[in-house]
């Protein structure tokens, strides 16, 4: 028989008899949990939802006691908080905190990229929680950091500890966490690329650079509120954040280089691109899911920002 001729490799063909029903063994539950967690994250189109659920799935599926997710800001010098875990095991909003990436954090990332070590453990370090938005040290113990990598480079870190129980590090769970973070990096990167062809730098790709003054803190709060709900009006944002409408609008424009309305429109267009099917088969539903109130509003904003009608643009792109 020629070498390139297809050959059957069914077991009965190879051994000359029917083997009956083979005994089976189910794969490891830990790996299954990690894969099911990644499958869930892949179903989301909103980055902040992915960040929050990544923290919660780290606890619920992998069994980590406390988890926090930090992402590099646009300077690649600071790691900005997203969501974390409180002293009672609850999910806490940590968008307002950050820390400067130190030597050991960069070393952990370098080792992960090189395939030497997938996580790093710090021993006898302060363990912190957020209480009413303020960081507090609740003890001293171990803290593990697992780099989150994308194809284009480092994205952030997933940190976990046992501040609530004081239990020892479980290496099997850290192995699962490393696999989870590798999958998480690809999911985040794919979502960030949703608007890579647009005529502006993606708003989904990175958070505004974190600062320490009140003006920058206000802008960061606005951005995160809009990423959670892009339908929020300036009036609703002002009421939620305790600022006057004019001050909120002026501060945002000064820091971001665009008006609040333009930012909202760009954000919704990027979300549209992450939701629309090739060729625009679900054009209306994608527009509504992205946060537009009507197709007419979406069509007007799309043409204004992209320079073409949606269907025309999508057909030409494909």
């Amino acid at each position: 028989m020629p070498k390139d001729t297809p050959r059957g490799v069914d077991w009965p063909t190879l051994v000359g008899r029917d083997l009956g029903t083979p005994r089976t063994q189910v794969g490891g539950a830990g790996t299954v949990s990690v894969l099911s967690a990644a499958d869930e994250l892949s179903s989301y189109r909103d980055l902040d939802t992915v960040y929050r659920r990544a923290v919660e799935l780290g606890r619920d599926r992998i069994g980590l006691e406390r988890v926090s997710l930090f992402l590099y800001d646009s300077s690649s010098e600071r790691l900005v908080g997203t969501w974390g875990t409180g002293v009672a095991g609850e999910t806490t909003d940590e968008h307002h905190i950050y820390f400067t990436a130190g030597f050991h954090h960069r070393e952990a990332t370098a080792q992960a990229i090189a395939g030497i070590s997938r996580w790093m453990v710090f021993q006898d370090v302060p363990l912190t929680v957020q209480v009413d938005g303020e960081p507090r040290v609740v003890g001293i113990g171990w803290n593990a950091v697992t780099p989150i990598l994308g194809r284009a480079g480092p994205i952030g870190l997933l940190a976990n500890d046992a501040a609530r129980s004081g239990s020892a590090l479980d290496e099997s769970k850290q192995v699962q966490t490393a696999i989870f973070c590798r999958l998480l990096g690809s999911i985040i990167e794919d979502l960030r690329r949703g608007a890579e062809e647009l005529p502006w730098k993606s708003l989904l790709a990175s958070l505004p650079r974190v600062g320490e003054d009140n003006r920058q803190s206000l802008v960061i709060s606005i951005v995160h509120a809009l990423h959670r709900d892009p339908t929020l009006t300036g009036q609703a944002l002002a009421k939620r954040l305790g600022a006057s409408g004019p001050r909120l609008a002026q501060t945002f424009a000064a820091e971001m280089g665009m008006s609040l309305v333009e930012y909202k429109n760009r954000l919704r267009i990027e979300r549209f691109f992450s939701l629309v099917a090739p060729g625009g088969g679900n054009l209306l539903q994608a527009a509504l899911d992205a946060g537009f109130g009507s197709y007419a509003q979406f069509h007007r904003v799309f043409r204004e920002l992209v320079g073409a009608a949606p269907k025309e643009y999508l057909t030409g792109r494909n």
Side-chain angles (χ1 to χ4, degrees):
M1 181 182 294
K3 187 175 181 179
D4 59 352
T5 300
R7 304 180 185 184
V9 292
D10 307 278
W11 290 333
T13 301
L14 296 176
V15 301
R17 60 187 176 86
D18 186 357
L19 297 177
T21 303
R23 290 185 297 119
T24 60
Q25 181 177 341
V26 178
T31 303
V32 171
S33 294
V34 170
L35 294 176
S36 66
D39 286 342
E40 178 184 329
L41 293 180
S42 296
S43 70
Y44 299 126
R45 296 298 181 184
D46 177 68
L47 274 169
D48 201 56
T49 300
V50 169
Y51 302 152
R52 177 170 185 148
R53 287 300 292 152
V55 167
E56 294 170 342
L57 291 168
R59 299 194 309 256
D60 299 341
R61 301 285 178 85
I62 300 176
L64 302 176
E65 185 172 310
R66 289 203 331 128
V67 184
S68 291
L69 174 62
F70 293 87
L71 303 173
Y72 284 104
D73 72 355
S74 57
S75 73
S76 298
E77 296 293 331
R78 290 174 171 173
L79 284 153
V80 183
T82 58
W83 298 91
T85 308
V87 72
E90 76 280 16
T91 302
T92 55
D93 189 335
E94 299 186 348
H95 290 87
H96 60 290
I97 66 174
Y98 71 91
F99 64 88
T100 302
F103 168 79
H104 293 296
H105 301 106
R106 297 190 183 282
E107 181 65 18
T109 298
Q111 290 191 17
I113 292 173
I116 298 171
S117 176
R118 301 299 181 181
W119 68 87
M120 183 173 286
V121 181
F122 304 110
Q123 297 287 355
D124 302 322
V125 295
L127 305 178
T128 63
V129 298
Q130 298 297 309
V131 179
D132 296 328
E134 295 295 327
R136 296 184 185 177
V137 176
V138 294
I140 301 295
W142 61 266
N143 177 262
V145 295
T146 305
I148 301 170
L149 306 177
R151 292 176 291 276
I155 292 174
L157 297 171
L158 193 76
N160 68 283
D161 62 39
R164 298 179 63 207
S165 67
S167 59
L169 181 139
D170 185 331
E171 187 158 325
S172 66
K173 291 180 180 178
Q174 295 304 139
V175 172
Q176 294 176 48
T177 302
I179 298 171
F180 180 60
C181 285
R182 198 67 174 184
L183 297 171
L184 176 60
S186 295
I187 292 168
I188 292 173
E189 194 170 55
D190 286 343
L191 276 176
R192 287 178 170 180
R193 288 177 175 174
E196 63 183 0
E197 65 222 280
L198 294 174
W200 61 76
K201 182 178 179 181
S202 174
L203 304 178
L204 296 174
S206 62
L207 299 174
R209 184 167 180 167
V210 177
E212 298 176 349
D213 59 61
N214 291 332
R215 187 172 69 174
Q216 289 179 317
S217 296
L218 176 61
V219 170
I220 292 167
S221 297
I222 294 170
V223 167
H224 285 292
L226 288 176
H227 277 245
R228 286 190 285 271
D229 182 2
T231 66
L232 287 171
T233 63
Q235 184 178 5
L237 285 166
K239 183 177 180 180
R240 175 179 297 191
L241 300 175
S244 69
R247 173 175 173 255
L248 183 141
Q250 292 168 9
T251 301
F252 188 89
E255 289 296 315
M256 300 298 289
M258 71 183 80
S259 71
L260 191 60
V261 171
E262 184 176 356
Y263 186 92
K264 284 176 55 178
N265 285 338
R266 289 188 181 190
L267 179 61
R268 288 185 288 189
I269 290 295
E270 288 192 39
R271 284 190 167 186
F272 165 79
F273 272 102
S274 72
L275 294 166
V276 71
N282 62 336
L283 205 62
L284 174 59
Q285 192 58 52
L288 296 176
D289 290 345
F292 288 99
S294 67
Y295 185 80
Q297 180 195 34
F298 159 71
H299 191 280
R300 174 180 57 78
V301 171
F302 191 99
R303 180 179 281 279
E304 178 182 305
L305 293 180
V306 182
K311 193 70 176 179
E312 172 188 324
Y313 182 85
L314 293 169
T315 303
R317 184 182 64 167
N318 289 287

